[in-house]
């Protein structure tokens, strides 16, 4: 099974962003991809740099216009697609939702981002209700996909739950970048931490992990900060956490890599971590803190 | 607060191993260490390469001869010590136990290894009953220590529980190495995975992480394998998973590093992962698998 990650820099022109994504999807399909992942909220700029009620106009239903458009493309190319959309449920209820489209164009399933960040420049708690569907992998013709979104990638619990439910790969559409005002050292620590923790999930669970980020600088409409310099670096790691392939920080590229499920089986035989988990002592993981 | 990790290669001469550890503890104390960590089962060879009933003779009670001996040294040097012993409870019940000795020579607390490995060359399930005391940090004059042992280091749940209980540093006495018959590539993947997952715990929990390994080749008494080439590489990582310092693979050395609790506070402010954990959906972590 071949997976492709499409790393793109977005502009305010939604139609243009979508057209370029479609070009890249067609290109990835020509290169033999079976499964194609797009970055988080790939149709638009990363609008969460400010809290602005007008941005709710960017939301849409699922199914809706984007799933229709990309559904046709999934059917045309014969690829399974992982989309990332601003989902509208009701006035006042919106989610940050990943949608998996089967190669026949139908929706295989959705995942609503469970962990919602909120820190300067990433005001997601204003826009997104935390996911209400739990951590459930999505079955497709290319395998059982543990799709999550961005901030989820910092939570070992989320990765574990997906793996215990039989996910064969963890997939994170992502929008993460540097604060241009941070020092170079701090920037490097942050990017390394981001890679390390996701590779750590791969190790802990003997599972492939794929992270598809956006790239490019997006300005802060409020002018309060220097915006976000999305750090690209989309990557795929193997079941021992080994880095299989990684894109550059600042270029629009496609990563294509082979997923070998036999390797996952082999790694879990030599490292039988699942066998020994002390589930009799894990109850306190459901607490906020333990005093 | 200064922490020291003592990386040593052991022989069959227990007295000699202990004498050399004591020399190194005195040296670390002279270098200003407040807290000194020894490798897993540091008095002896790593006897779990085979299943041999005579090896139970190596066990001892806690308190017992080793805690007395090293307790005197803790008092002499004024350092807190983390020991790792083969603990005898009753005939038929033994644990792989870490002991924290306060700088006045008293026992501050013990931790009984919760996750027990069993794979070729590491037949620990024969020797050690899985720990019966849970994941509890140990309070000392140098802070609240999240002491665990070796195989525990592959479990994000264990690290998380210690952190949620207020541990200020994760500490892993360890005995891990290469199978000399593995390819160089496989050896590197394994060592990288070992570092990655522990650095991942540091990231997930915004906490310092210290891992103290043995070094050197120990032969397999059964002759069935080429023994274990312990890979040293003891290290300490900071609360963003950044590698602060690391020892070589093949030398007996002392690592000394400064622990800055203010940095832990700073990192958890910019990365408030604990705030957003979806504890309402973590119940299934107490299951072996989820169908």
């Amino acid at each position: 099974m071949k997976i492709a990650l499409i790393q793109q820099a977005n502009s305010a022109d939604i139609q243009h962003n979508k057209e370029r994504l479609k070009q890249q999807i067609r290109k990835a399909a020509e290169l033999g991809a079976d499964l194609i992942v797009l970055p988080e909220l790939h149709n638009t700029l990363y609008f969460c740099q400010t809290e602005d009620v007008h941005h709710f106009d960017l939301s849409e239903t699922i199914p809706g216009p984007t799933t229709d458009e990309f559904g046709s493309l999934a059917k045309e190319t014969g690829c399974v697609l992982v989309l990332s959309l601003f989902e509208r449920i009701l006035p006042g209820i919106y989610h940050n939702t990943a949608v998996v489209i089967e190669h026949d164009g139908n929706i295989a399933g959705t995942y609503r981002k469970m962990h919602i960040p909120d820190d300067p420049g990433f005001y997601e708690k204003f826009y997104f209700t935390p996911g209400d569907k739990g951590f459930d992998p999505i079955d497709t013709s290319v395998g059982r996909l543990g799709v999550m979104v961005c901030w989820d990638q910092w939570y070992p619990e989320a990765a574990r739950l997906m793996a215990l439910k039989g996910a064969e790969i963890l997939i994170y559409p992502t929008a993460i970048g540097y604060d241009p005002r941070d020092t170079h050292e701090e920037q490097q620590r942050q990017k390394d931490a981001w890679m390390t923790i996701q590779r750590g999930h791969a190790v802990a669970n003997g599972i492939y992990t794929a992270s598809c980020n956006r790239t490019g600088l997006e300005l802060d409409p409020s002018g309060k900060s220097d915006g976000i310099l999305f750090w690209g670096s989309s990557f795929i790691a193997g079941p021992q956490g080994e880095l299989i392939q990684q894109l550059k920080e600042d270029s629009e590229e496609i990563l294509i890599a082979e997923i070998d499920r036999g390797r996952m089986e082999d790694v879990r035989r030599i490292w039988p971590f699942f066998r020994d988990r002390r589930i009799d002592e894990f109850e306190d993981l459901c607490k906020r803190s333990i005093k």
Side-chain angles (χ1 to χ4, degrees), chain A residues 110-122:
Chain A
T110 66
Y111 168 82
R112 293 179 180 148
K113 187 172 182 175
M114 291 288 285
H115 296 100
I116 307 294
D118 191 291
D119 55 283
F122 297 82

Side-chain angles (χ1 to χ4, degrees), chain A residues 31-32 56 163 174 178 289:
Chain A
L31 294 168
F56 288 104
T174 296
Y178 302 122
S289 69

Side-chain angles (χ1 to χ4, degrees), chain A residues 60-278:
Chain A
E60 60 180 292
T61 58
I62 297 171
T66 301
T67 57
D68 287 351
E69 251 181 284
F70 284 83
S72 302
L73 190 57
K75 198 169 175 182
E76 172 196 323
T77 57
C79 296
V80 173
L81 304 181
V82 179
L83 312 179
S84 169
L85 302 178
F86 185 11
E87 182 183 17
R88 175 190 174 91
I89 307 289
L90 287 172
I93 303 183
Y94 305 82
H95 290 287
N96 185 330
T97 302
V99 188
V100 179
I101 310 272
E102 195 37 278
H103 62 63
D104 60 6
N106 291 315
I107 293 175
T110 66
Y111 168 82
R112 293 179 180 148
K113 187 172 182 175
M114 291 288 285
H115 296 100
I116 307 294
D118 191 291
D119 55 283
F122 297 82
Y123 300 104
E124 294 197 19
K125 286 197 195 294
F126 177 68
Y127 294 105
F128 309 122
T129 296
D132 54 357
K133 296 175 65 181
F135 302 94
D136 275 320
I138 296 170
D139 280 316
T140 71
S141 56
V142 295
R144 184 170 285 192
L145 311 182
V147 177
M148 292 174 280
V149 180
C150 203
W151 192 241
D152 292 314
Q153 69 210 351
W154 301 98
Y155 294 85
E157 295 94 338
R160 181 71 99 201
L161 287 168
M162 287 293 194
L164 294 178
K165 289 178 185 172
E168 294 167 303
I169 179 170
L170 304 177
I171 296 173
Y172 299 96
T174 296
I176 191 167
Y178 302 122
D179 177 345
R181 293 181 190 173
D182 273 339
T183 63
H184 178 71
E185 291 69 26
E186 175 63 19
Q187 292 181 344
Q188 287 313 302
R189 275 197 300 272
Q190 293 191 4
K191 200 185 87 172
D192 286 353
W194 174 76
M195 287 183 57
T196 298
I197 196 159
Q198 291 179 85
R199 292 176 56 208
H201 302 330
V203 175
N205 299 291
I207 195 169
Y208 283 91
T209 299
S211 199
C212 183
N213 194 18
R214 60 173 73 200
T215 184
L217 176 68
E218 295 187 20
L219 296 176
D220 176 356
S222 76
K224 285 184 189 160
S225 77
D226 291 349
I228 303 173
L229 181 58
F230 292 98
W231 64 47
S233 308
S234 301
F235 69 92
I236 179 155
Q240 287 178 308
E242 72 277 19
L243 195 58
I244 291 177
Q245 214 179 308
Q246 182 163 37
L247 299 180
K248 292 186 193 133
E249 288 200 354
D250 54 1
S251 60
E252 297 189 296
E253 291 179 275
I254 302 176
L255 178 157
I256 298 216
E258 187 77 43
I259 302 293
D260 171 7
R261 283 175 233 180
R263 184 152 158 63
M264 198 171 91
E265 175 74 29
D266 292 345
V267 168
R268 289 196 190 172
R269 288 183 187 196
I270 63 163
W271 284 348
F273 305 143
F274 283 10
R275 181 192 63 193
D276 296 332
R277 294 173 63 242
R278 289 300 301 270

